[in-house]
């Protein structure tokens, strides 16, 4: 019995001016329905107008009636000894060779600029860019280019990756948050970043 909606069964309607088909509101509803189905596939029964409990009870009654009609001579099974002594399964196929390392780290996708976001877009972009750079370093050198940094040292390293074209509002916000997360002041962070840019970890020390 096909439970999943087929072509033509779902026709989205929305009062928004979006000309897309479906519009972003209908698409969001589809994603939410998919999330609910992932969490509980029996929601499909609800979509088809069937009560889950009633259907499961009906199946249980049918199975019980079928089992009572089935004679012992018809029942089949697998001998336990035969199952336990079955030949071993063949070894799984070897994994393919890894893809070549790209020449440079990837660029994270840009977050939408319209509307409020539940996260700090600038901070998330900074962390994603840093993660891509460190992953690329792992792939090319086999190790972390900055192992064993303390939270303070790593916060300074992150802040020092920002462009050096002056303290913009975004940079000040970044300094303030990184400083607060490490128990320092924004002034401490600004001085530490200047030291890191001059001499790296040794300059900071």
């Amino acid at each position: 019995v096909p439970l999943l909606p087929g072509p033509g069964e779902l026709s989205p309607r929305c009062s928004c001016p979006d000309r897309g088909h479906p519009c972003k509101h209908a698409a969001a509803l589809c994603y939410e329905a998919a999330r609910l189905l992932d969490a509980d596939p029996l929601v499909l029964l609800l979509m088809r107008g069937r009560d889950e409990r009633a259907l499961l009870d009906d199946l249980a009654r049918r199975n019980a009636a079928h089992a009572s009609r089935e004679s012992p001579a018809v029942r089949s099974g697998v001998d336990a000894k035969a199952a336990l002594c079955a030949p071993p399964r063949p070894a799984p196929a070897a994994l393919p060779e890894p893809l070549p390392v790209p020449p440079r780290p990837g660029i994270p996708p840009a977050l939408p600029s319209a509307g409020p976001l539940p996260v700090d877009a600038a901070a998330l972009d900074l962390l994603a860019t840093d993660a891509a750079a460190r992953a690329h370093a792992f792939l090319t050198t086999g190790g972390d280019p900055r192992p064993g940094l303390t939270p303070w040292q790593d916060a300074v390293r992150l802040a020092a990756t920002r462009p050096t074209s002056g303290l913009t509002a975004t940079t000040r916000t970044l300094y303030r948050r990184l400083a607060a997360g490490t128990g320092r002041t924004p002034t401490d962070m600004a001085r530490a970043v200047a030291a890191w840019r001059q001499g790296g970890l040794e300059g900071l020390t």
Side-chain angles (χ1 to χ4, degrees), residues 85-148:
C85 298
R89 293 183 178 180
L95 293 176
E97 290 296 321
L99 296 174
V101 179
R104 62 188 62 84
I107 300 175
L111 290 172
S113 57
L117 293 175
V119 295
D120 183 339
L124 184 60
D125 180 72
L126 175 66
L127 292 175
T129 302
D130 181 65
R134 294 182 69 180
H136 187 267
F138 269 116
L139 289 173
T140 53
T141 66
D144 191 340
R146 292 292 180 184

Side-chain angles (χ1 to χ4, degrees), residues 5 33 40 45 48 62 66 71 99 153 159 169-170 173 186 191 199:
D40 182 9
L45 298 176
R48 293 296 182 181
R62 292 188 185 189
H66 180 72
S71 66
L99 296 174
Q153 293 168 341
T170 302
T173 301
R191 290 173 175 168

